[in-house]
PDB file of all heavy atoms in Angstrom:
ATOM      1  N   LEU A1404      -4.298 -15.974 -12.172  1.00 96.00           N
ATOM      2  CA  LEU A1404      -3.686 -14.763 -11.638  1.00 96.00           C
ATOM      3  C   LEU A1404      -4.681 -14.177 -10.636  1.00 96.00           C
ATOM      4  O   LEU A1404      -5.856 -14.003 -10.947  1.00 96.00           O
ATOM      5  CB  LEU A1404      -3.401 -13.764 -12.760  1.00 96.00           C
ATOM      6  CG  LEU A1404      -2.813 -12.407 -12.353  1.00 96.00           C
ATOM      7  CD1 LEU A1404      -1.460 -12.575 -11.675  1.00 96.00           C
ATOM      8  CD2 LEU A1404      -2.688 -11.495 -13.571  1.00 96.00           C
ATOM      9  N   ILE A1405      -4.174 -13.883  -9.443  1.00 96.00           N
ATOM     10  CA  ILE A1405      -5.034 -13.453  -8.348  1.00 96.00           C
ATOM     11  C   ILE A1405      -4.768 -11.987  -8.009  1.00 96.00           C
ATOM     12  O   ILE A1405      -3.618 -11.542  -7.981  1.00 96.00           O
ATOM     13  CB  ILE A1405      -4.799 -14.318  -7.091  1.00 96.00           C
ATOM     14  CG1 ILE A1405      -5.155 -15.774  -7.358  1.00 96.00           C
ATOM     15  CG2 ILE A1405      -5.571 -13.780  -5.888  1.00 96.00           C
ATOM     16  CD1 ILE A1405      -6.616 -16.038  -7.567  1.00 96.00           C
ATOM     17  N   ALA A1406      -5.835 -11.272  -7.725  1.00 96.00           N
ATOM     18  CA  ALA A1406      -5.732  -9.917  -7.185  1.00 96.00           C
ATOM     19  C   ALA A1406      -6.624  -9.827  -5.953  1.00 96.00           C
ATOM     20  O   ALA A1406      -7.540 -10.638  -5.763  1.00 96.00           O
ATOM     21  CB  ALA A1406      -6.157  -8.885  -8.228  1.00 96.00           C
ATOM     22  N   TRP A1407      -6.353  -8.835  -5.116  1.00 96.00           N
ATOM     23  CA  TRP A1407      -7.158  -8.620  -3.908  1.00 96.00           C
ATOM     24  C   TRP A1407      -7.551  -7.155  -3.859  1.00 96.00           C
ATOM     25  O   TRP A1407      -6.694  -6.269  -3.937  1.00 96.00           O
ATOM     26  CB  TRP A1407      -6.382  -9.004  -2.658  1.00 96.00           C
ATOM     27  CG  TRP A1407      -7.192  -8.962  -1.383  1.00 96.00           C
ATOM     28  CD1 TRP A1407      -8.213  -9.790  -1.018  1.00 96.00           C
ATOM     29  CD2 TRP A1407      -7.024  -8.031  -0.312  1.00 96.00           C
ATOM     30  NE1 TRP A1407      -8.697  -9.444   0.222  1.00 96.00           N
ATOM     31  CE2 TRP A1407      -7.980  -8.376   0.689  1.00 96.00           C
ATOM     32  CE3 TRP A1407      -6.170  -6.958  -0.081  1.00 96.00           C
ATOM     33  CZ2 TRP A1407      -8.107  -7.667   1.888  1.00 96.00           C
ATOM     34  CZ3 TRP A1407      -6.283  -6.254   1.109  1.00 96.00           C
ATOM     35  CH2 TRP A1407      -7.240  -6.617   2.067  1.00 96.00           C
ATOM     36  N   GLU A1408      -8.852  -6.908  -3.769  1.00 94.00           N
ATOM     37  CA  GLU A1408      -9.387  -5.547  -3.753  1.00 94.00           C
ATOM     38  C   GLU A1408      -9.700  -5.119  -2.327  1.00 94.00           C
ATOM     39  O   GLU A1408     -10.325  -5.860  -1.565  1.00 94.00           O
ATOM     40  CB  GLU A1408     -10.669  -5.503  -4.598  1.00 94.00           C
ATOM     41  CG  GLU A1408     -11.269  -4.114  -4.718  1.00 94.00           C
ATOM     42  CD  GLU A1408     -12.517  -4.131  -5.582  1.00 94.00           C
ATOM     43  OE1 GLU A1408     -12.391  -3.975  -6.801  1.00 94.00           O
ATOM     44  OE2 GLU A1408     -13.617  -4.335  -5.016  1.00 94.00           O
ATOM     45  N   TYR A1409      -9.252  -3.932  -1.996  1.00 93.00           N
ATOM     46  CA  TYR A1409      -9.417  -3.399  -0.638  1.00 93.00           C
ATOM     47  C   TYR A1409      -9.878  -1.953  -0.739  1.00 93.00           C
ATOM     48  O   TYR A1409      -9.370  -1.190  -1.567  1.00 93.00           O
ATOM     49  CB  TYR A1409      -8.082  -3.474   0.104  1.00 93.00           C
ATOM     50  CG  TYR A1409      -8.016  -2.691   1.397  1.00 93.00           C
ATOM     51  CD1 TYR A1409      -8.511  -3.231   2.582  1.00 93.00           C
ATOM     52  CD2 TYR A1409      -7.433  -1.426   1.431  1.00 93.00           C
ATOM     53  CE1 TYR A1409      -8.427  -2.511   3.775  1.00 93.00           C
ATOM     54  CE2 TYR A1409      -7.346  -0.708   2.613  1.00 93.00           C
ATOM     55  CZ  TYR A1409      -7.841  -1.254   3.784  1.00 93.00           C
ATOM     56  OH  TYR A1409      -7.773  -0.543   4.952  1.00 93.00           O
ATOM     57  N   ASP A1410     -10.818  -1.575   0.109  1.00 89.00           N
ATOM     58  CA  ASP A1410     -11.313  -0.204   0.141  1.00 89.00           C
ATOM     59  C   ASP A1410     -11.105   0.348   1.538  1.00 89.00           C
ATOM     60  O   ASP A1410     -11.665  -0.182   2.509  1.00 89.00           O
ATOM     61  CB  ASP A1410     -12.795  -0.145  -0.236  1.00 89.00           C
ATOM     62  CG  ASP A1410     -13.234   1.271  -0.606  1.00 89.00           C
ATOM     63  OD1 ASP A1410     -12.716   2.226   0.006  1.00 89.00           O
ATOM     64  OD2 ASP A1410     -14.081   1.423  -1.506  1.00 89.00           O
ATOM     65  N   SER A1411     -10.310   1.403   1.651  1.00 83.00           N
ATOM     66  CA  SER A1411      -9.991   1.945   2.963  1.00 83.00           C
ATOM     67  C   SER A1411     -11.177   2.617   3.628  1.00 83.00           C
ATOM     68  O   SER A1411     -11.127   2.922   4.830  1.00 83.00           O
ATOM     69  CB  SER A1411      -8.825   2.946   2.856  1.00 83.00           C
ATOM     70  OG  SER A1411      -9.164   4.017   1.994  1.00 83.00           O
ATOM     71  N   VAL A1412     -12.268   2.838   2.875  1.00 82.00           N
ATOM     72  CA  VAL A1412     -13.473   3.383   3.499  1.00 82.00           C
ATOM     73  C   VAL A1412     -13.983   2.408   4.553  1.00 82.00           C
ATOM     74  O   VAL A1412     -14.397   2.793   5.652  1.00 82.00           O
ATOM     75  CB  VAL A1412     -14.564   3.665   2.447  1.00 82.00           C
ATOM     76  CG1 VAL A1412     -15.887   4.004   3.120  1.00 82.00           C
ATOM     77  CG2 VAL A1412     -14.128   4.816   1.538  1.00 82.00           C
ATOM     78  N   SER A1413     -13.938   1.112   4.225  1.00 75.00           N
ATOM     79  CA  SER A1413     -14.355   0.106   5.200  1.00 75.00           C
ATOM     80  C   SER A1413     -13.249  -0.159   6.214  1.00 75.00           C
ATOM     81  O   SER A1413     -13.521  -0.413   7.392  1.00 75.00           O
ATOM     82  CB  SER A1413     -14.722  -1.202   4.496  1.00 75.00           C
ATOM     83  OG  SER A1413     -13.563  -1.800   3.937  1.00 75.00           O
ATOM     84  N   GLY A1414     -11.988  -0.093   5.746  1.00 71.00           N
ATOM     85  CA  GLY A1414     -10.858  -0.313   6.626  1.00 71.00           C
ATOM     86  C   GLY A1414     -10.823  -1.687   7.250  1.00 71.00           C
ATOM     87  O   GLY A1414     -10.244  -1.889   8.322  1.00 71.00           O
ATOM     88  N   ASP A1415     -11.414  -2.659   6.574  1.00 78.00           N
ATOM     89  CA  ASP A1415     -11.583  -3.983   7.158  1.00 78.00           C
ATOM     90  C   ASP A1415     -11.079  -5.035   6.183  1.00 78.00           C
ATOM     91  O   ASP A1415     -11.578  -5.137   5.060  1.00 78.00           O
ATOM     92  CB  ASP A1415     -13.071  -4.207   7.484  1.00 78.00           C
ATOM     93  CG  ASP A1415     -13.336  -5.551   8.124  1.00 78.00           C
ATOM     94  OD1 ASP A1415     -12.368  -6.267   8.427  1.00 78.00           O
ATOM     95  OD2 ASP A1415     -14.517  -5.868   8.311  1.00 78.00           O
ATOM     96  N   VAL A1416     -10.083  -5.823   6.606  1.00 83.00           N
ATOM     97  CA  VAL A1416      -9.541  -6.876   5.746  1.00 83.00           C
ATOM     98  C   VAL A1416     -10.634  -7.852   5.336  1.00 83.00           C
ATOM     99  O   VAL A1416     -10.682  -8.330   4.201  1.00 83.00           O
ATOM    100  CB  VAL A1416      -8.390  -7.610   6.469  1.00 83.00           C
ATOM    101  CG1 VAL A1416      -8.031  -8.890   5.752  1.00 83.00           C
ATOM    102  CG2 VAL A1416      -7.177  -6.701   6.575  1.00 83.00           C
TER     103      VAL A1416
END
Side-chain angles (χ1 to χ4, degrees):
L1404 177 61
I1405 297 292
W1407 187 69
E1408 183 179 271
Y1409 167 83
D1410 197 325
S1411 60
V1412 170
S1413 68
D1415 181 6
V1416 167

